[in-house]
Amino acid sequence: MPPQYRTMEQTRAAIAAARSPFVPPPGLLEDITGVRGVHVKYDDEQASDLAVAAAAKALDMAGTGIGEIDLLLFASSGQDLVEPATAHIVAAKLGAWCPVFDVKNACNSVLNALETAAAFIETGRYRTVLIACGETATLTARWHVPDHDTFMRHLPGYTVSDAGAALLLTAGPAGPDDPGVLRTLFASDSSAWEACTVAAGGSMHPRSTDDDHVCLRLNGDQLFRTGRDMARLILEHAPEEVALMRDSAFVAVHQISMPQFHEACAALGLPASRFQATVDKYGNAASASLPLQLALAQQCERVMPGDTVALVGLASGFSIGLALIRL
């Protein structure tokens, strides 16, 4: 079943249909974010369904049976339920009997799962690890908008997209030219955890019906300031990793909006040909953003087997990550 697509004009119409006192003027969402539309799951679809569809496709492409999976990680900013781990639901739908658990770190969930899987494989604990992601971020959109300030606080909720993604990692030769995860680097500034939140569902607001709690909310510009500061620190203090990144055939960077995407490209000092813009057409796919960019680059043969690829992740909380892989 093809995914549903919601344009920004349809988003504007939905805000108006909710009898909001404030309705953004035509074109404002597109002008601010550069996003033309987002993909939206069907009402009867869960995060696990998106993950299962992506995982089944990855297994088929690799010629790997579900019985060959030693560990399954569900990596997403979303989930089906608070309890149990959504990884169990994904495993049940796939027919897997291996150990499972969730990896959750906002938009860096898949990147952190990649680091976790690579570490397990390197130590010999597991041989084949399946990472499955199902993002249902469109559920965090706020439709009743009382005023302009509220609209701006909840703006990211209109540009996030639902998506599924999957990565399959398998132990193999570890020669200098063999495929694999070459290096990972992560850093966090957790003092910025309040900068971007979905507050409901935890112990703070377990059963909240307050729109401010159940919807994606920006709290000032701390998220952007922290992101710039941490990116600057990585560029200054991780010269080896940065050099490898700049030598990569392709760089995927987490994309929140087109202005942020262009700012990230400029900060890395690389030509536009080394990146793949996706947020304009697909919206912010949360932790599926990096796999989406890589898949599109492979489809159009911008990257080939043997190429080195850099995955640059940014996530509220705040965390930043870099993974260098050889295809």
Side-chain angles (χ1 to χ4, degrees), residues 13 47 52 55 74 90 139 146 183 195 201 204 230-231 260 275 324:
V52 165
F74 176 75
V90 173
L139 294 173
R183 195 169 301 190
M204 286 185 181
M230 292 195 66
Q260 173 268 336
F275 302 89
L324 295 155

Side-chain angles (χ1 to χ4, degrees), residues 14-36:
I15 295 172
R19 298 184 178 180
S20 296
F22 176 83
V23 178
L28 180 64
L29 280 162
E30 296 92 329
D31 290 344
I32 293 175
T33 68
V35 177
R36 301 195 298 270

Side-chain angles (χ1 to χ4, degrees), residues 57-211:
K57 184 176 181 179
L59 291 169
D60 182 64
M61 290 177 62
T64 301
I66 192 63
E68 299 175 68
I69 302 302
D70 301 315
L71 175 68
L72 188 154
L73 304 176
F74 176 75
S76 173
S77 65
Q79 57 195 11
D80 281 15
L81 304 166
V82 172
E83 183 77 13
T86 303
H88 287 291
I89 304 174
V90 173
K93 291 178 177 179
L94 287 172
W97 289 89
C98 60
V100 307
F101 60 89
D102 288 1
V103 176
K104 185 179 180 68
N105 187 20
C107 295
N108 271 345
S109 296
V110 167
L111 204 59
N112 284 124
L114 179 69
E115 178 188 35
T116 302
F120 275 131
I121 290 173
E122 288 169 6
T123 61
R125 182 67 182 87
Y126 298 109
R127 178 174 177 81
T128 303
V129 181
L130 175 63
I131 299 170
C133 169
E135 291 288 4
T136 55
T138 59
L139 294 173
T140 65
R142 177 170 185 157
W143 299 116
H144 187 267
V145 184
D147 51 48
H148 178 267
D149 288 346
T150 302
F151 170 75
M152 293 304 296
R153 282 197 302 271
H154 293 277
L155 179 63
Y158 306 120
T159 58
V160 288
S161 191
D162 298 335
L167 301 172
L168 185 64
L169 282 73
T170 303
D177 298 318
D178 290 314
V181 178
L182 305 179
R183 195 169 301 190
T184 59
L185 175 70
F186 288 88
S188 296
D189 179 359
S190 297
S191 66
W193 74 266
E194 292 181 286
C196 185
T197 60
V198 179
S203 61
M204 286 185 181
H205 306 284
R207 293 177 180 84
S208 175
T209 58
D210 185 330
D211 282 349

